[in-house]
């Protein structure tokens, strides 16, 4: 949980200023419950979710897709440099590469 605080503090130092407060509110109760072998209280998890929820943007692709402009692709063929061609040929000569291409196990 303290890693979570660190990330949130990095993003919004004004909101998540105090490491000690965050630890007291969330980390200490959770750690003590886990040490006692007890279940973490739902209220504590709910409180953590309520604090974090405003910072997460969750949207579905079907909702965003309508709002996005059409995608434009510009394909520009460019020759490889001598070094790039050498590396490419070397890579293509590898048995693993040939096997992946032959089996269709690539994303191309």
């Amino acid at each position: 949980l303290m890693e979570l605080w660190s990330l949130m503090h990095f993003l919004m130092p004004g909101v998540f200023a105090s490491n000690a407060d965050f630890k007291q509110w969330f980390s200490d109760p959770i750690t003590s419950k886990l040490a006692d072998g007890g279940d973490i209280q739902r209220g504590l998890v709910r409180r953590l979710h309520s604090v974090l929820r405003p910072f997460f943007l969750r949207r579905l692709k079907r909702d965003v897709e309508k709002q996005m402009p059409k995608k434009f692709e510009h394909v520009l063929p460019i020759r490889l440099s001598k070094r790039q061609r050498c590396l490419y040929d070397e890579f293509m000569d590898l048995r693993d590469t040939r096997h992946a291409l032959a089996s269709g196990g690539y994303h191309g």
Side-chain angles (χ1 to χ4, degrees):
L1 279 175
M2 296 321 294
E3 255 185 70
L4 175 63
W5 173 83
S6 179
L7 291 170
M8 299 305 287
H9 177 69
F10 176 76
L11 293 173
M12 289 169 265
V15 176
F16 295 96
S18 174
N19 179 351
D21 286 346
F22 192 87
K23 187 174 181 202
Q24 181 184 357
W25 294 337
F26 301 110
S27 188
D28 289 347
I30 289 175
T31 303
S32 67
K33 283 288 181 185
L34 292 175
D36 295 342
D39 292 333
I40 299 172
Q41 297 172 353
R42 289 180 192 250
L44 182 61
V45 173
R46 229 178 275 127
R47 184 171 39 160
L48 181 59
H49 284 176
S50 68
V51 168
L52 297 176
R53 188 169 290 120
F55 301 101
F56 293 120
L57 176 61
R58 183 167 192 170
R59 298 167 67 183
L60 300 176
K61 185 177 179 181
R62 68 174 181 256
D63 299 335
V64 176
E65 186 178 17
K66 298 174 207 165
Q67 301 170 6
M68 295 179 71
K70 294 283 183 193
K71 177 181 174 182
F72 291 100
E73 271 189 43
H74 301 280
V75 180
L76 302 172
I78 300 173
R79 289 180 182 253
L80 297 176
S81 71
K82 214 177 216 183
R83 175 76 176 138
Q84 289 171 327
R85 172 53 69 183
C86 179
L87 290 171
Y88 175 79
D89 290 339
E90 191 177 302
F91 175 73
M92 293 304 288
D93 287 338
L94 294 173
R95 183 174 43 192
D96 291 343
T97 303
R98 288 194 309 267
H99 176 68
L101 291 173
S103 68
Y106 65 95
H107 303 292

